[in-house]
Amino acid sequence: MIKDISDSLSAYGKALRMIGQYNLWRYIMIPGLVSVVAIFLLLAGPVVWFANSSVEQMIVDMIPIEGLKGIAEGLADVLVLLITVFFIFFFGKYIVLAVVSPFMGALSEKIEEIETGKKVLSDSHFFADLIRGITVSLRNLLIEIFLTLLILPLHLIPVIGTIAATALSVSVEAYFAGFGNMDYTLERKRYSVGQSVSFIRQNRSKAIGNGLGFLGILMIPVLGWFMAPALATIAATITSLSVLQKD
């Protein structure tokens, strides 16, 4: 498991080198800008809502001691930060993957041509691929919500429960992010939804490794938002092709 995660993460280094070596910027500029705008809107949403709601004042009013009201305002700021992080890492990755998917499919195809030295014969069916993409995204979102709800009670156990819940939550987030990135290759190979699910499940450690890299890069403001989809797609394509060639 550790080796698979490590291999998936190391693929990001190769992905970064490939961008410069093969001048892949034309595949990256537009989806990168789209990703930045999408995440900015996700950030702005909670901030605007919080600023225009009475939540902050409610938190401050709950503190009876005047000297502690400054602490309450600080807690309110932490609350909006947590809401923002939740939006980005729970719903945000699905939104980002959805809006950049048409571009990432082309980038994944280009990477396969570079890796194999062979021209990829495109067999795309727009509406079928669109329905498939929506099906995969909805499936993953619902399962992730369900798993997250199962994990939440662990936070009731002091220290150990919180650590375990955090580790499990990050693993779940990473798994489904990696799933989305690896699926570009599988979709091109005409895998059905069921076949993709089976493939990713058998290679869950590689998916988690790819997802950890993706989420980690998203933590970097602006530049990370710009580069994360492309780097994750290239790394996922490299990893997926490696597994497919072995099989």
Side-chain angles (χ1 to χ4, degrees):
M1 178 178 179
I2 300 299
K3 184 180 184 304
D4 286 343
I5 291 175
S6 177
D7 288 344
S8 288
L9 288 171
S10 65
Y12 278 86
K14 183 176 180 179
L16 192 58
R17 293 192 297 272
M18 289 181 75
I19 291 174
Q21 183 178 354
Y22 297 99
N23 193 25
L24 299 173
W25 291 107
R26 63 184 181 277
Y27 292 94
I28 295 172
M29 292 302 296
I30 294 178
L33 292 173
V34 170
S35 175
V36 169
V37 171
I39 294 178
F40 177 78
L41 292 176
L42 281 172
L43 282 169
V47 172
V48 171
W49 168 79
F50 195 79
N52 289 280
S53 71
S54 58
V55 174
E56 182 174 2
Q57 190 59 46
M58 286 173 58
I59 294 174
V60 173
D61 291 342
M62 289 171 61
I63 307 299
I65 302 174
E66 188 66 30
L68 296 179
K69 291 188 180 294
I71 297 176
E73 291 179 358
L75 290 174
D77 292 336
V78 171
L79 175 62
V80 73
L81 176 62
L82 291 174
I83 293 173
T84 300
V85 170
F86 176 80
F87 264 75
I88 291 178
F89 287 101
F90 198 86
F91 294 105
K93 66 177 181 293
Y94 286 104
I95 294 173
V96 170
L97 290 172
V99 297
V100 303
S101 60
F103 308 98
M104 294 300 98
L107 176 59
S108 178
E109 182 177 312
K110 179 64 177 179
I111 297 304
E112 181 172 349
E113 291 180 350
I114 293 171
E115 286 287 280
T116 63
K118 299 177 182 178
K119 179 70 176 177
V120 175
L121 298 177
S122 180
D123 184 30
S124 62
H125 304 277
F126 180 79
F127 289 108
D129 291 345
L130 179 62
I131 293 172
R132 182 189 182 283
I134 293 173
T135 301
V136 169
S137 295
L138 286 176
R139 173 199 175 275
N140 289 351
L141 177 60
L142 291 174
I143 293 176
E144 185 173 349
I145 291 173
F146 175 71
L147 292 176
T148 300
L149 292 175
L150 288 181
I151 292 169
L152 282 177
L154 287 176
H155 286 286
L156 297 176
I157 304 174
V159 186
I160 295 176
T162 300
I163 294 173
T166 301
L168 287 172
S169 296
V170 171
S171 296
V172 169
E173 290 275 334
Y175 174 79
F176 286 108
F179 190 127
N181 293 323
M182 293 175 73
D183 192 53
Y184 294 126
T185 301
L186 303 179
E187 179 182 15
R188 189 167 58 256
K189 301 296 182 183
R190 311 316 303 170
Y191 274 51
S192 67
V193 173
Q195 289 172 324
S196 286
V197 170
S198 178
F199 179 91
I200 302 296
R201 189 174 292 156
Q202 292 171 16
N203 297 279
R204 61 176 65 88
S205 298
K206 293 183 181 296
I208 289 172
N210 179 268
L212 286 173
F214 178 67
L215 296 176
I217 295 171
L218 279 181
M219 290 290 289
I220 305 171
V222 186
L223 180 61
W225 307 343
F226 181 87
M227 294 298 299
L231 285 173
T233 297
I234 297 172
T237 302
I238 294 169
T239 299
S240 300
L241 290 175
S242 175
V243 176
L244 289 170
Q245 288 167 359
K246 287 179 182 178
D247 292 343

